Amino acid sequence: MVALCLLTSGVAVGCADTDDTAGTTDTRSAGQLLNDANRTMKALTSVTIETDTVSGMGNSRSSTLRTDLKVRCTYEVTETTGLELEQRRIGETDFIRGNDIYFEMWGRETVPAMREKPWLKSPVSSAVGADALADCAWPFSSSAKATKGEPTEIDGKPVIPVEVPNENVGDGTDTFYIAAEGKPYLLKVAYQGQHHRATTVFSAFNAPFDVRPPATADVLDLSSLPEDGADE
């Protein structure tokens, strides 16, 4: 994932044994709850993941990832810096549309031709960190340091919170909110740290999902550009 998204995805959930929860009187341990949520989420055919992050400097970033959790997804990002990015990943190909601020922060050589088409086409294998692109997969992983909280509600839905130290960031905690009725979906992850806070919300479980490439006339294939093209 993109670096800022790692604030809430650096520690996620593990393997599982059952499909359904037993309600708010659930007697499972924190680890078992995370394991059940993990298997449920990994089995999805599609999901929408919305993340809002605020840094200690007051800068914010909002993103929406719609994904099959494998090789097809769409990703939209806006920042208070003015950056705007839209991505469509289909198999081994990325289609990228960004504004001027995105290209200024992109970290790669640009040429005037890249401004003449709204979309750029590039192999997934060419993506680098500065591109700020998303992966269609989501890093669900286990943790042995989970603590179970008291049952509560999110938007009227009963959930069981599980707190896990975010070892990737080092100074914060992720709270995973797991559905307490029906399938144990992971509904929300809230990260609270010394310098950042972030909220990730999961929705549209198994909703119909399709990703199509932009119109050919609107796409510039980056592989068609000369490797020694002049900087813009």
Side-chain angles (χ1 to χ4, degrees), residues 2-228:
V2 179
L4 285 176
C5 294
L6 292 175
L7 292 174
T8 55
S9 65
V11 180
V13 289
C15 304
D17 299 318
T18 60
D19 285 331
D20 297 321
T21 67
T24 55
T25 58
D26 201 304
T27 60
R28 287 171 296 168
S29 68
Q32 289 173 326
L33 285 164
L34 290 178
N35 289 342
D36 288 353
N38 176 64
R39 189 184 73 168
T40 301
M41 299 301 286
K42 278 190 169 183
L44 293 172
T45 58
S46 67
V47 64
T48 295
I49 305 171
E50 298 174 280
T51 301
D52 291 299
T53 303
V54 179
S55 73
M57 300 296 293
N59 296 324
S60 66
R61 176 188 181 95
S62 297
S63 67
T64 300
L65 175 68
R66 297 179 176 87
T67 176
D68 66 1
L69 296 174
K70 295 177 182 177
V71 295
R72 299 173 68 86
C73 58
T74 65
Y75 185 58
E76 298 177 14
V77 179
T78 59
E79 294 184 357
T80 51
T81 60
L83 178 146
E84 296 180 3
L85 165 66
E86 184 177 353
Q87 171 197 358
R88 300 180 192 178
R89 178 166 289 186
I90 303 174
E92 296 301 317
T93 302
D94 277 323
F95 296 94
I96 306 162
R97 177 164 66 180
N99 65 357
D100 286 342
I101 294 176
Y102 171 74
F103 283 112
E104 290 172 7
M105 300 174 67
W106 198 24
R108 287 208 270 172
E109 184 177 55
T110 61
V111 296
M114 294 170 64
R115 302 301 208 284
E116 296 173 4
K117 299 281 188 176
W119 289 91
L120 305 178
K121 178 181 178 181
S122 180
V124 170
S125 59
S126 296
V128 297
D131 295 350
L133 301 180
D135 190 346
C136 298
W138 188 262
F140 298 112
S141 59
S142 62
S143 172
K145 299 180 180 180
T147 302
K148 184 178 177 180
E150 292 297 321
T152 184
E153 291 187 352
I154 293 179
D155 296 330
K157 299 177 182 177
V159 296
I160 303 175
V162 175
E163 292 188 359
V164 179
N166 191 314
E167 296 175 345
N168 281 354
V169 180
D171 69 347
T173 300
D174 287 307
T175 302
F176 297 84
Y177 294 90
I178 300 167
E181 294 180 352
K183 289 186 178 294
Y185 290 124
L186 177 61
L187 300 181
K188 178 180 176 180
V189 183
Y191 168 80
Q192 183 68 50
Q194 183 177 358
H195 303 293
H196 297 82
R197 66 179 185 272
T199 301
T200 299
V201 176
F202 301 82
S203 63
F205 306 116
N206 293 325
F209 176 70
D210 189 26
V211 185
R212 298 182 182 275
T216 303
D218 293 333
V219 176
L220 173 66
D221 189 340
L222 293 183
S223 66
S224 67
L225 298 177
E227 294 184 3
D228 60 349

